[in-house]
Amino acid sequence: YTFLRAQGRPVGRSLVEEDRIELASMLLAKAETRGVTVLLPKDHVVAREFKADAEHRVCCDADFPDDFVADLGRAAGAYFADKGARRITLGRDCRLPSPRIHATLKRELLAAGLDVIDVGIVHTPALYFSVFHLEADGGVMITASHNPAEDNGFKIVSGRTTIYGAEIQKLRERIEQRAFRTGATPGKASDHDILKDYVAYIANNIQ
C-alpha cells in the first residue's frame, strides 16, 4: 500500500492483480540485492519466499497448496529430529485456511516421529509460552501475524528461539533435495488447553 500511495495511485481494500504482480516484481528485485533466496512456485505468479527473518508469510491459497504444506511439514520434521527434538507444540490462528494447513502439517510432523501437542487456536505469544511451559523441544505457529486475511505463514521455534536466516534456508534446501525422514514409529498426538495455563500464569504474576 505504501508503494502504491507513493505513486499517487488509489488504494482500495485489496490489490488488483496487476498491482500484485508489480509489487511482487519490486520485492523480488530487492530480495536479490539483499541476498535473500526466493522460491518460485511452478504454477503461480506470487513468490513463495523463505525470507531471511523468523517467519514465512505469503498469499495462502496461491502459495500454500497441500503439497507444499506437506513438504514443509516433512522438512520441519526432519529439521527438528536432527536437532534431537522429540516433542513439539503446534498452534494456529483463526484464519479460514488455517485448519487445512494445520491438519496437513500435523500429519507430516507425526509421520516424522515427533510427538505433537496441539494447543489449538491461540495467539503467537501463547504458542511461545507453550514451548517453555510444557518443556517441549520446539513449536510451530501457523499465522501471518498482522498480514491481510488471505495470507498465512509459519513461525518455527527450535529449542528456545525462533529460527531465522540460514536456519530458514535449511528448510528450503531440504525441500529441494527431498531430504526428509520417516520416524521408526509415528509420533503421538495430544491436545492441551494452553490458554488456561497462560492466563493463570499472567494472573499469578500481577503484583
Side-chain angles (χ1 to χ4, degrees), residues 12-201:
R13 290 179 63 85
S14 62
L15 300 178
V16 296
E17 186 62 22
E18 56 265 31
D19 290 331
R20 288 182 181 273
I21 295 171
E22 187 174 349
L23 185 57
S25 298
M26 181 190 73
L27 292 174
L28 285 170
K30 281 197 172 185
E32 288 179 3
T33 63
R34 296 181 182 181
V36 177
T37 302
V38 176
L39 284 183
L40 294 175
K42 294 177 183 176
D43 302 317
H44 304 292
V45 174
V46 181
R48 286 179 187 158
E49 291 185 68
F50 277 83
K51 300 189 294 184
D53 59 15
E55 60 186 304
H56 179 33
R57 295 183 298 199
V58 290
C59 181
C60 181
D61 290 335
D63 295 292
F64 284 154
D66 288 344
D67 61 339
F68 176 73
V69 177
D71 279 351
L72 186 58
R74 294 171 188 134
Y79 177 89
F80 279 127
D82 282 355
K83 295 286 185 179
R86 301 281 302 170
R87 199 168 62 117
I88 65 168
T89 61
L90 176 65
R92 64 182 176 90
D93 66 13
C94 58
R95 293 165 194 264
L96 294 179
S98 289
R100 171 182 65 83
I101 294 173
H102 172 272
T104 303
L105 195 70
K106 184 176 180 179
R107 181 192 72 211
E108 298 304 332
L109 292 170
L110 290 168
L114 295 169
D115 292 341
V116 177
I117 305 170
D118 193 337
V119 296
I121 300 176
V122 296
H123 58 330
T124 301
L127 184 281
Y128 292 158
F129 173 80
S130 74
V131 174
F132 286 80
H133 186 69
L134 301 177
E135 299 183 345
D137 301 312
V140 180
M141 179 67 192
I142 301 167
T143 182
S145 208
H146 58 276
N147 276 30
E150 65 269 20
D151 292 355
N152 219 323
F154 304 86
K155 296 184 179 182
I156 299 176
V157 182
S158 178
R160 294 295 181 265
T161 186
T162 52
I163 68 172
Y164 63 94
E167 294 302 300
I168 289 262
Q169 299 308 315
K170 288 180 181 178
L171 297 181
R172 175 186 60 80
E173 291 164 3
R174 282 186 179 278
I175 292 174
E176 290 177 340
Q177 298 166 9
R178 316 303 293 169
F180 307 140
R181 68 159 66 188
T182 301
T185 57
K188 296 178 181 178
S190 60
D191 298 323
H192 187 90
D193 183 1
I194 197 64
L195 290 180
K196 230 179 186 179
D197 300 339
Y198 182 82
V199 171
Y201 179 85

Side-chain angles (χ1 to χ4, degrees), residues 1-9 11 15 23 26:
Y1 297 142
T2 303
F3 167 70
L4 296 179
R5 287 196 184 100
Q7 295 190 339
R9 292 157 64 180
V11 179
L15 300 178
L23 185 57
M26 181 190 73

